Every structure is written in C-alpha cells, then in structure tokens.
Amino acid sequence: MEADLGESEVTAVVGERYCSPAERELTIRKTSLFFPGDGFAAYDHATGDVVFRVDTYDRSGSPAFADRQILLMDPSGEPILTLRRKWPSLHQRWEAFLGERKEGQRPLFAVRRSSIFGGDRGGFAVEVESDEYRIEGSFSQRCCRLLYEGGGGGRAVVMSEIKRKVDALSHVVLGRDVFSLFLQPHCDSAFAMGLVVVLDQITGDDEEDEEQADLVSVDS
C-alpha cells in the first residue's frame, strides 16, 4: 500500500534547507562518460540553475579504489556529503557522512544491496537511524523509486523517482547519461541526490553488462 508524502510524516535527512514544499524535477547529467560516478551535475528543471555537483577522488591512489571518496557539493563547491564504500562488504555497502568526512565521524545514512544476487533489480536497503527506506526498480535502466516506510500502518510513501529524460521538443527518450529525478514535496533533495551517486557506483557493472547485451542484440 502506498500513500502521499506529508510534511509531518518525514524528517529531513541531510537538512531542512534541501526540503521544498512543492514538487521538483532535477535534470541529472553525467559530466564524464568514461567511468561510473566520475562526475555529475544536477540542474533545476524549471530554472536551469545548478543545484548539485559531484566529484570523485581517490585519496590513496590505489587501483582498487579502497579509499575512494565522493563529494556531493553545492553549486559553489561546498561539501554537503562525503560518500564512501565500506570494505569489505558482500552487499556493496556505502556510507554517507555530513560535510567533508573526518576520522571517527558516524555515517548519516548507509545504502546496500538487499541481496548479493540479482543485480540492481533485487532492490536496495537504505538505513537512516530508526527510519526505514528502500529502493525498488532498476537504476541501470533509469527506472526506480525511493520509498519511505517509517510512517506506520504498513504504508509505503514514494519520496522520489528516477526516470528516463524525454526531450521536450523532439519527444525522443535521451540516453542514460541524462535522466530526471522527481522529488515529492518535503523530500530531502540532497539525500535523494546522494542515493543517485551511490546507486551509480554500485550498479556500474550492471550497466556495462546491459550495454554489452544491447550491442549483441543489435548485431544479431
């Protein structure tokens, strides 16, 4: 059972300033097409203004990216979240820290695959203190949504959705490097954008496999 998101039902995860009383659409564009998560820019669909920037850096220089960290920043470059993979983790667990992460800092939220099998279609669990969230659908196909399950009564509330972007003039569906993030009223946009970045990191191999499958089907 699903319900509408009410202001009294959900609290901000990253900060109240990222919660709008109205619905919003963000256009997400990869700023590098070579590796998953190399960079993103998020624009307000209505105004065209930059809302978030994402940069990836590897502090250790290790080819295994054991200490890889990703910064979600505001338009001026101020860090909002540090996203970091937890090692080792069979479920590909990622943790998010407020601002630029410091040693000993506790994570604000965490994301992991619900199962080690089944790719991104198996869903993802999102851990935020006592609140319950989950992600269902396929991020690699740009068709998934974030559900809030902390309202009680067995209700699941849709907080945000990722969908393929359609060109307004030609009505053509764009490639997966540009997509839309729809935010319900009172949804924390920084939280939702942080989840987008983590999903891109976790499902990078899934996207490569699907692209190879698409090429094979075209050739045949």
Side-chain angles (χ1 to χ4, degrees):
M1 179 180 177
E2 297 177 1
D4 294 328
L5 183 63
E7 184 176 10
S8 61
E9 287 188 282
V10 65
T11 57
V13 177
V14 180
E16 291 288 347
R17 58 178 170 164
Y18 303 110
C19 302
S20 169
E23 292 183 0
R24 294 180 70 191
E25 177 185 350
L26 301 184
T27 297
I28 315 298
R29 181 185 300 272
K30 278 197 173 188
T31 55
S32 173
L33 308 182
F34 296 105
F35 299 102
D38 252 9
F40 282 102
Y43 304 87
D44 187 296
H45 176 74
T47 65
D49 295 336
V50 176
V51 181
F52 300 112
R53 292 167 46 196
V54 178
D55 284 331
T56 302
Y57 65 95
D58 174 22
R59 296 179 60 189
S60 68
S62 165
F65 299 109
D67 197 29
R68 193 180 203 187
Q69 298 190 119
I70 303 173
L71 286 181
L72 174 66
M73 301 176 292
D74 67 15
S76 66
E78 187 69 22
I80 300 172
L81 291 173
T82 300
L83 304 161
R84 186 169 184 256
R85 182 171 178 178
K86 185 175 178 62
W87 295 89
S89 174
L90 291 176
H91 290 82
Q92 294 181 272
R93 179 185 177 91
W94 280 73
E95 295 178 333
F97 302 83
L98 191 63
E100 194 160 4
R101 176 182 170 272
K102 299 177 179 62
E103 287 299 325
Q105 184 178 353
R106 293 185 59 185
L108 189 63
F109 63 88
V111 187
R112 61 174 176 80
R113 288 189 188 270
S114 298
S115 170
I116 61 175
F117 306 106
D120 72 337
R121 290 181 175 83
F124 298 86
V126 183
E127 304 166 9
V128 186
E129 294 185 350
S130 58
D131 285 329
E132 298 180 14
Y133 300 84
R134 62 182 168 88
I135 298 169
E136 65 176 24
S138 173
F139 176 79
S140 60
Q141 291 295 322
R142 305 299 187 254
C143 182
C144 61
R145 57 186 183 171
L146 172 67
L147 299 172
Y148 172 66
E149 299 183 303
R155 297 182 304 162
V157 180
V158 178
M159 295 184 63
S160 64
E161 293 187 78
I162 293 170
K163 296 181 179 181
R164 297 286 292 269
K165 186 79 175 178
V166 179
D167 184 89
L169 296 178
S170 64
H171 304 291
V172 173
V173 178
L174 302 179
R176 285 182 285 185
D177 296 315
V178 182
F179 53 95
S180 295
L181 173 62
F182 293 93
L183 304 167
Q184 293 299 310
H186 315 297
C187 176
D188 188 323
S189 60
F191 174 48
M193 187 63 199
L195 295 176
V196 167
V197 178
V198 171
L199 290 175
D200 181 68
Q201 287 289 319
I202 295 178
T203 65
D205 291 340
D206 298 337
E207 289 190 39
E208 292 178 6
D209 291 343
E210 290 182 3
E211 287 174 0
Q212 289 296 325
D214 290 343
L215 289 174
V216 170
S217 63
V218 169
D219 291 341
S220 59

